[in-house]
Amino acid sequence: MHISISPDVAGPGLLVAAGGGLLALCFVTAIIIGLESLVLWRLGWGTFKRSLLAGFVMNLATSILGIGVVPFTLQLGIWGLLIDLALSVLVEGGIRMLFKRGATRANWLAALAANGASYLLVILPVYLLTGLLK
């Protein structure tokens, strides 16, 4: 069994379930950070460079959280995935508040949009392919 760190709260569980290693870690990490940064930039949250930096920091924080949370949420199927999503939005929204103070609404909408995109386009398909959603 491989235990790896990857962006978003669900990331480590995805790589464990998929039997991934360093290559899977790098691939999923790059996709999620790139996708979330692109969403932030297109929403006008910041420049692309600033969005990329924020995406990296936010996903590092949720990865650390995910190491402790995912072993429990993997057992909950779709509910666990929704818990992971909610935790990602909360953590990343809070971190966005540190990057861009005074833009509460924009930060939380960006957190929802960026995580929604990464969960729908990257994380949910991996869960479905690995049979974790029962």
Side-chain angles (χ1 to χ4, degrees):
M1 174 187 288
H2 295 104
I3 298 178
S4 304
I5 301 172
S6 172
D8 283 337
V9 173
L14 290 177
L15 293 176
V16 170
L22 184 58
L23 184 60
L25 169 67
C26 292
F27 185 69
V28 172
T29 299
I31 289 174
I32 292 174
I33 291 173
L35 179 62
E36 290 189 6
S37 299
L38 184 62
V39 169
L40 291 176
W41 176 60
R42 295 300 296 156
L43 285 173
W45 183 84
T47 65
F48 185 72
K49 186 176 178 180
R50 186 150 174 89
S51 297
L52 193 58
L53 175 64
F56 175 77
V57 171
M58 293 177 306
N59 285 292
L60 179 63
T62 54
S63 294
I64 293 167
L65 175 66
I67 291 169
V69 172
V70 169
F72 302 105
T73 59
L74 279 175
Q75 301 168 5
L76 301 175
I78 188 72
W79 294 107
L81 184 63
L82 293 174
I83 290 168
D84 292 340
L85 173 62
L87 288 173
S88 290
V89 169
L90 289 173
V91 169
E92 293 184 17
I95 291 171
R96 276 188 188 87
M97 294 296 292
L98 297 174
F99 273 91
K100 192 173 183 179
R101 298 181 189 273
T104 304
R105 181 181 169 107
N107 286 326
W108 290 105
L109 285 175
L112 272 172
N115 279 283
S118 67
Y119 272 72
L120 283 175
L121 298 175
V122 179
I123 295 173
L124 182 60
V126 173
Y127 263 77
L128 293 171
L129 290 172
T130 57
L132 285 173
L133 292 182
K134 299 170 183 125

